[in-house]
Amino acid sequence: MDIFLLDDEHKLIREAAREFARKEIAPKAKEIDANGRFPTEIIAQLGSMGFMGMMIPEQYGGAGMDTLSYVIAMEEIAAGCASTSVIMSVNNSLVCSPIVSYGSEAQKKKYLTSLAKGEKLGCFALSEPSSGSDAASLRTVARREGDHYIINGSKNFITNGREADTCVLFATLDMTKGHKAVCAFILEKGMPGYSVGKLEDKLGICGSSTAQMHFDNVKVPVENLIGVEGQGFRIALSTLDGGRVGIAAQALGIAAAAHEAAKKFAREREAFGAPIAKLQGIQWHIADMATRLDAARLLTWRAAVKRDSGERYSREAAMAKLYASEMAMWLTTKAIQVHGGYGYIKEYPVERHFRDAKITEIYEGTSEIQRLVIGSSELAD
Ligand code: CAA
């Protein structure tokens, strides 16, 4: 099904990602989830395949691909294992992209190649214990001292926080100045005062780490400021526009895997003398799932193509994430229903898909924030 008439290059990327996800990732997904195991070996393989820095230009060691390629690959990897896909998504969208778009030549040369190859991993430190949706109210402070900034504060819910070597961090120069004083920095694991705190015990995406991070008088060289002072909030929000397209694709992959599982079960399970796939009640569930999956895919691909056009795509990204994440939650619930009691037990994958789907309605901007972004754009003059 090629609703968008993918060109040969996009089809090849989809095939490569699908084959790798089905052979190497999906068979391990249950164990990764059950043990809360970070999939080190899979991330290394994704790095060597070019999937950890898909949109990084080739001159900096990346794959030099477009956003459509990225979301196509993301859907397939997420269908294999949602935990793996969020690790990949954060590295690509939230860490590599702001360095590509706003970083200095020296930052690009220093950081991008190892991130693209999967030799190093990145995290994006914006959220704090008392600032999530209201991102501009952050309290992590940066103070300029000579040729360094001194950073103090704590971050919360940081995906990849435990493993990250490179941290894109947001801090304010002056808490009274709101978003206009926010700056973006590149920090490195091992800088004195940089530490990882509590790890969260979660409902889903159990193979990825979600950490508190603490910054105690961390001395960051001025050359690690991304862009200019006060540009940090725009960097954060424009980066999140891209991140939201990636999370839409993640939600799509989780939902597609649940849809496949529901179809397989419906063909195999017999009731009333025939496979339940023969029952109209089941067929209607499967039909609604297929229709909503395609709708979410179209929104996600549209947002990806608009990103590549260079135009502002905040509204399209928000629509894709809102629809795809709510669709994934709806679809995984239905997939459990098609399985009946078997859907509720861990022997079948749909309970994992259901748990993994929930976070897509929350991270990188809740559904309420996406509605706010879409609503403001609709009502702007
Ligand atoms: N791109 C570039 N600039 C943008 C922008 C965008 N998408 N959106 C807003 N801006 C600019 C505005 O133009 C404005 O700039 P000026 O003052 O120069 O005109 C500035 O940013 C402030 O804009 P707003 O007044 O609209 O900002 P706000 O404070 O009202 O916040 C918001 C808007 C939509 C609520 C925003 O704060 C938001 O998206 N919050 C959610 C944060 C979020 O997604 N957090 C997720 C955490 S990261 C995560 O989950 C990572 C993980 O580990 C998986």
Side-chain angles (χ1 to χ4, degrees):
M1 176 214 51
D2 275 330
I3 37 192
F4 238 66
L5 295 176
L6 298 181
D7 64 24
D8 288 346
E9 205 175 314
H10 291 122
K11 284 182 191 162
L12 277 174
I13 289 159
R14 184 173 60 185
E15 284 320 307
R18 184 171 292 174
E19 195 187 333
F20 181 71
R22 289 187 180 168
K23 282 198 186 142
E24 308 290 336
I25 306 182
K28 295 180 175 173
K30 186 177 177 182
E31 172 265 315
I32 289 169
D33 172 67
N35 297 324
R37 179 177 76 79
F38 184 88
T40 310
E41 77 289 5
I42 301 177
I43 297 303
Q45 286 169 291
L46 287 173
S48 48
M49 292 171 77
F51 286 164
M52 293 304 282
M54 292 188 71
M55 295 168 292
I56 296 179
E58 283 167 309
Q59 68 192 105
Y60 303 113
M65 292 180 193
D66 59 12
T67 312
L68 185 57
S69 305
Y70 170 58
V71 297
I72 287 169
M74 179 58 59
E75 177 182 342
E76 299 300 331
I77 303 302
C81 170
S83 297
T84 302
S85 69
V86 72
I87 298 164
M88 171 180 155
S89 166
V90 166
N91 200 69
N92 274 279
S93 310
L94 299 187
V95 180
C96 295
S97 285
I99 300 177
V100 169
S101 302
Y102 300 97
S104 64
E105 192 54 30
Q107 289 169 351
K108 290 178 193 178
K109 285 194 173 130
K110 183 169 179 191
Y111 293 105
L112 289 177
T113 303
S114 51
L115 287 167
K117 294 196 181 309
E119 294 158 3
K120 292 210 166 154
L121 190 70
C123 70
F124 180 84
L126 175 67
S127 300
E128 299 186 358
S130 57
S131 106
S133 291
D134 183 8
S137 69
L138 54 80
R139 291 181 186 179
T140 296
V141 175
R143 187 179 75 246
R144 176 92 189 240
E145 268 186 19
D147 53 5
H148 285 81
Y149 290 91
I150 307 295
I151 296 188
N152 279 288
S154 290
K155 297 286 177 179
N156 215 21
F157 298 143
I158 308 305
T159 305
N160 296 348
R162 178 182 56 193
E163 298 80 14
D165 308 280
T166 308
C167 170
V168 171
L169 173 129
F170 298 86
T172 178
L173 292 173
D174 183 345
M175 267 190 276
T176 64
K177 295 205 170 121
H179 73 264
K180 293 193 187 304
V182 175
C183 301
F185 300 94
I186 303 174
L187 270 64
E188 292 172 25
K189 183 191 224 164
M191 284 178 163
Y194 175 118
S195 64
V196 177
K198 181 179 159 232
L199 295 167
E200 306 298 346
D201 193 9
K202 300 174 301 212
L203 175 70
I205 54 160
C206 299
S208 70
S209 66
T210 302
Q212 283 189 1
M213 298 182 76
H214 305 293
F215 306 92
D216 183 14
N217 285 318
V218 181
K219 209 172 159 190
V220 180
V222 285
E223 56 266 25
N224 282 28
L225 174 72
I226 307 178
V228 296
E229 284 190 357
Q231 200 186 5
F233 195 64
R234 279 176 165 270
I235 295 175
L237 291 192
S238 62
T239 298
L240 281 165
D241 285 342
R244 289 166 186 171
V245 187
I247 298 303
Q250 183 198 29
L252 201 48
I254 296 169
H259 184 225
E260 285 307 313
K263 286 195 289 186
K264 181 171 185 285
F265 187 86
R267 288 193 194 102
E268 289 169 0
R269 171 73 173 169
E270 297 210 350
F272 309 106
I276 61 169
K278 298 278 178 207
L279 300 172
Q280 199 174 55
I282 297 295
Q283 289 171 2
W284 286 14
H285 284 325
I286 300 292
D288 287 346
M289 288 179 190
T291 306
R292 293 187 197 194
L293 265 173
D294 271 12
R297 191 173 287 115
L298 282 167
L299 283 173
T300 305
W301 289 8
R302 177 183 72 160
V305 168
K306 189 147 187 210
R307 181 180 191 271
D308 290 330
S309 77
E311 283 177 62
R312 175 111 179 227
Y313 62 103
S314 308
R315 173 177 174 276
E316 288 75 13
M319 282 185 175
K321 182 183 183 283
L322 173 65
Y323 188 80
S325 61
E326 294 194 345
M327 178 280 297
M329 205 57 231
W330 171 87
L331 192 151
T332 53
T333 308
K334 279 272 183 258
I336 291 181
Q337 198 66 23
V338 168
H339 283 71
Y342 290 104
Y344 201 68
I345 61 175
K346 289 191 183 278
E347 195 179 331
Y348 288 80
V350 284
E351 65 81 32
R352 171 166 50 83
H353 299 319
F354 170 85
R355 288 185 288 105
D356 288 339
K358 183 60 203 171
I359 190 61
T360 65
E361 293 182 324
I362 299 171
Y363 58 20
E364 302 201 28
T366 60
S367 289
E368 291 74 13
I369 290 295
Q370 307 312 324
R371 288 190 167 87
L372 195 149
V373 171
I374 299 161
S376 335
S377 142
E378 286 297 306
L379 296 166
D381 22 77

